[in-house]
Amino acid sequence: MSLKYFTIEERLNANAWDVDVHRPHIKIKDPDKCRTCEKKPCTYMCPAKCYVQQGDYVVLSTEACVECGTCRVVCPHGAIEWNYPRSGMGIWYRFT
């Protein structure tokens, strides 16, 4: 029996999300802090690539968030507000 190894992309594609468009669980509280942030660690530390640098700005898209909380931990300016999604919302892990 041979084992099949899955890439992170294959694993993430097996999941489903119920995105709360009325009350997102992540917000950038102060975009000006992101503009002055030199390293912008959220753009390369987020495993789901929810943060993208566009010029001096950081753009957030919560649709693929895996709810790990890495972004709030690595933000050196405390500019990210992160809460668990409301009950029934967020990611549904399907990969076993």
Side-chain angles (χ1 to χ4, degrees):
M1 178 169 90
S2 66
L3 295 175
K4 179 174 182 344
Y5 294 97
F6 293 94
T7 66
I8 189 68
E9 289 81 12
E10 290 172 321
R11 290 173 188 244
L12 289 174
N13 286 334
N15 298 320
W17 286 264
D18 193 359
V19 179
D20 191 347
V21 295
H22 301 291
R23 196 175 79 189
H25 69 286
I26 307 172
K27 296 178 188 172
I28 297 177
K29 295 186 294 188
D30 190 349
D32 289 331
K33 287 183 180 178
C34 296
R35 289 184 65 208
T36 60
C37 183
E38 288 182 27
K39 296 186 179 183
K40 297 179 183 17
C42 59
T43 60
Y44 56 87
M45 295 295 291
C46 176
K49 310 277 189 252
C50 292
Y51 297 87
V52 177
Q53 183 175 348
Q54 292 183 350
D56 288 340
Y57 293 94
V58 173
V59 178
L60 168 63
S61 176
T62 62
E63 287 84 12
C65 179
V66 294
E67 300 169 19
C68 66
T70 299
C71 55
R72 79 179 150 165
V73 174
V74 300
C75 180
H77 303 290
I80 298 172
E81 180 181 317
W82 191 98
N83 297 292
Y84 286 104
R86 289 187 304 142
S87 180
M89 305 304 270
I91 190 169
W92 298 1
Y93 289 99
R94 293 183 173 177
F95 191 85
T96 58

